[in-house]
Amino acid sequence: MSTIVQKFGGTSVGSTERIKRMADRVMREKEKGHDVVVVVSAMGKTTDALVKLVSDITSEPSKREMDMLLSTGEQVTISLLSMALQQQGVEAISFTGWQAGIQTDSVLGNAHIQSIDTGRILNELDHGKVVVVAGFQGVTEDGDISTLGRGGSDITAAALASALKADRCDIYTDVDGVYTSDPRFVPKASKLTSLSYEDMQNLASMGAGVLHPRAVKHAKKFGIPLYIKSSFEKGRGTMIHGKAKQIGSNPVIGVTFEKDINRVEMFDCEDVEGFRKALMCELASRHIQADVYKQTCRNSLSLLIKEQDLQEVLSILDKEKEKWMYSRIERKRGLSKVSVIGQNIKSQPAIKMDMCKILLENAVRVKLVGESAISVTAVVEKSQVQLAAERLHTGFGLDYKVVMKASM
Ligand code: ADP
Ligand code: ASP
Ligand code: MG
């Protein structure tokens, strides 16, 4: 029998009314004869509200208690959705992350899934039940509840789909697919009906928040097709799979941005390269993503980090100040990153030049330009990021192009 994993994000389960509507979707899939496993997020903005509660109590919450708290959001949704299904005569059972056998490493707050013991889920599927699993959470070897990082329910869904060798993992969300840029900010963004794992991973890792980049990694490992579609509208979404082929010659596939970025710069470092390597290792061990640039002329090291990681990074830097010997540290908030994405972009220097030209012509003040194999990124003031994204989208010929990619 075929297995389908369905994932519903926060907006899709944002009210009891919506939970009932999603139960209908689950039921329809079940009626087609599939085994169905459902992964849900916390309702609406519940996770943000839980984070806010903490700020009334402490500015330095312990990671263990933070994960204990944040994991409760998803627990509310699994029980309500299971009840909604039972109410409609569908047999259903809810599982938290640990009940679903999801084991993670011990990096609390940003844990990675290490293994999934699917025994209990398979047993319930064998009994004809729909299994509803809490996204975004697992359990460490020590038996503590862990969370996977913001947006982590996508990871749960893709990892479960892989572990169960599912036929498909459907990601239901509040947009009707993946676009060449965030359609809420770039109105001329074009929908991509089909994408390769690599392209999706490149877009997601540089800020396309529609899907967590680690979800793509899990799906790619076992070749599970990911289907991104709207919870609210009918119509074709975006299929992400191994056979998507590029049509057309545009080397740029999308424009992404991240709005709340901090720049932290350490000056007069004694050994910039040694510092860079050690810092990157430390950040990697904590699963913190950062862009690290060294400026040899000033013996300085610059970090671009997300707002949510700022406190942790500052405390690492403070603890290690003596060891890494820098004279002072400067911090700038209110920045954003905007990137153009495509495979092998680094080997095409004209793209970086065009990007700088477009930004200059539109009076966007660029603080820093960096590049990787798949992207060129400019750091700009947050107040200018939307303008920058729109102009780059137009400048690189991405506006309203009907479809850039097609399935085989
Ligand atoms: P969910 O709660 O369902 O996981 P998210 O808010 O995490 O939903 O992701 C959906 C959002 O992703 C959309 O509302 C959209 O604003 C944003 N987004 C960012 N980049 C893209 C893109 N390239 N294509 C589509 N949506 C995007
Ligand atoms: N509820 C978590 C969050 O808001 C996980 C998710 O929605 O994917 O980040
Ligand atoms: Mg999401």
Side-chain angles (χ1 to χ4, degrees):
M1 194 186 264
S2 53
T3 304
I4 304 291
V5 174
Q6 295 182 306
K7 181 253 168 179
F8 299 106
T11 318
S12 312
V13 291
S15 64
T16 45
E17 221 27 70
R18 286 185 174 177
I19 288 177
K20 287 195 252 176
R21 274 170 71 187
M22 295 313 119
D24 289 338
R25 284 197 180 275
V26 177
M27 201 167 69
R28 265 178 265 147
E29 216 55 66
K30 182 77 183 140
E31 280 168 0
K32 286 182 199 159
H34 302 300
D35 278 343
V36 184
V37 174
V38 186
V39 174
V40 287
S41 292
M43 291 172 72
K45 301 263 177 233
T46 300
T47 312
D48 291 337
L50 291 171
V51 172
K52 195 155 181 306
L53 283 182
V54 175
S55 62
D56 292 343
I57 306 254
T58 169
S59 58
E60 288 179 39
S62 91
K63 291 195 168 192
R64 185 184 183 281
E65 301 315 325
M66 196 71 189
D67 278 5
M68 184 69 92
L69 176 72
L70 296 192
S71 65
T72 61
E74 273 67 13
Q75 205 169 323
V76 171
T77 327
I78 51 170
S79 40
L80 290 175
L81 180 59
S82 297
M83 289 177 206
L85 286 163
Q86 289 164 359
Q87 179 66 22
Q88 298 186 23
V90 179
E91 283 201 82
I93 182 165
S94 64
F95 284 153
T96 61
W98 72 264
Q99 289 174 320
I102 299 175
Q103 169 114 39
T104 73
D105 62 19
S106 54
V107 184
L108 297 179
N110 206 358
H112 286 192
I113 295 176
Q114 289 192 318
S115 62
I116 303 183
D117 177 350
T118 52
R120 212 166 159 190
I121 295 182
L122 289 173
N123 188 37
E124 297 298 344
L125 292 176
D126 280 350
H127 285 90
K129 289 191 188 166
V130 168
V131 179
V132 184
V133 179
F136 172 60
Q137 57 178 265
V139 64
T140 67
E141 218 179 333
D142 296 335
D144 287 322
I145 291 177
S146 51
T147 63
L148 309 181
R150 297 304 305 267
S153 298
D154 294 337
I155 307 170
T156 308
L160 272 175
S162 293
L164 294 164
K165 307 270 179 300
D167 294 71
R168 223 175 56 227
C169 177
D170 292 343
I171 307 276
Y172 287 93
T173 185
D174 56 6
V175 273
D176 65 350
V178 181
Y179 283 69
T180 47
S181 193
D182 186 337
R184 296 192 197 288
F185 294 90
V186 178
K188 289 185 181 164
S190 336
K191 189 156 101 183
L192 301 158
T193 54
S194 175
L195 268 171
S196 66
Y197 293 117
E198 289 76 17
D199 282 343
M200 186 65 234
Q201 204 163 348
N202 294 342
L203 289 168
S205 65
M206 296 308 293
V210 63
L211 192 62
H212 198 293
R214 275 185 1 247
V216 189
K217 228 178 183 176
H218 280 285
K220 184 181 171 192
K221 200 163 165 194
F222 291 95
I224 310 291
L226 291 169
Y227 194 18
I228 316 290
K229 49 183 160 179
S230 167
S231 290
F232 310 112
E233 289 164 34
K234 285 205 172 113
R236 222 171 135 195
T238 300
M239 185 64 93
I240 297 153
H241 56 127
K243 292 179 184 159
K245 272 199 165 177
Q246 175 140 10
I247 48 169
S249 55
N250 195 342
V252 175
I253 59 157
V255 173
T256 60
F257 50 88
E258 289 181 64
K259 283 194 162 175
D260 292 302
I261 293 293
N262 291 274
R263 180 176 177 171
V264 179
E265 190 164 10
M266 283 73 61
F267 292 92
D268 310 314
C269 310
E270 288 230 329
D271 170 12
V272 186
E273 183 50 21
F275 184 13
R276 190 187 69 81
K277 280 192 184 145
L279 189 55
M280 286 186 77
C281 277
E282 181 65 31
L283 296 177
S285 73
R286 295 166 184 250
H287 302 160
I288 295 176
Q289 295 261 307
D291 300 337
V292 184
Y293 301 101
K294 57 176 181 174
Q295 282 181 296
T296 330
C297 54
R298 297 200 289 185
N299 283 339
S300 81
L301 202 64
S302 270
L303 289 182
L304 296 177
I305 41 178
K306 290 192 175 127
E307 181 68 29
Q308 70 207 49
D309 296 322
L310 181 66
Q311 283 318 319
E312 187 166 355
V313 170
L314 288 177
S315 81
I316 300 170
L317 290 168
D318 194 44
K319 262 191 230 141
E320 303 288 352
K321 187 167 190 259
E322 307 269 288
K323 189 164 109 195
W324 288 328
M325 291 191 282
Y326 54 86
S327 67
R328 70 192 165 88
I329 184 164
E330 258 179 27
R331 178 175 124 189
K332 176 118 177 65
R333 280 195 140 117
L335 296 176
S336 297
K337 291 199 297 188
V338 59
S339 307
V340 295
I341 312 294
Q343 285 181 27
N344 301 321
I345 268 194
K346 206 172 181 173
S347 63
Q348 304 176 65
I351 292 180
K352 186 174 168 185
M353 274 160 50
D354 288 347
M355 180 173 184
C356 293
K357 195 167 150 241
I358 293 165
L359 294 175
L360 190 73
E361 278 169 5
N362 288 284
V364 176
R365 293 178 297 283
V366 176
K367 314 271 174 206
L368 192 78
V369 179
E371 58 191 326
S372 74
I374 55 114
S375 63
V376 186
T377 298
V379 177
V380 301
E381 293 287 347
K382 187 175 170 183
S383 59
Q384 289 198 300
V385 67
Q386 183 163 0
L387 170 74
E390 285 190 67
R391 296 297 190 270
L392 289 170
H393 196 270
T394 305
F396 281 101
L398 297 169
D399 284 359
Y400 284 142
K401 207 179 290 176
V402 187
V403 197
M404 286 177 63
K405 305 228 163 186
S407 352
M408 295 271 286

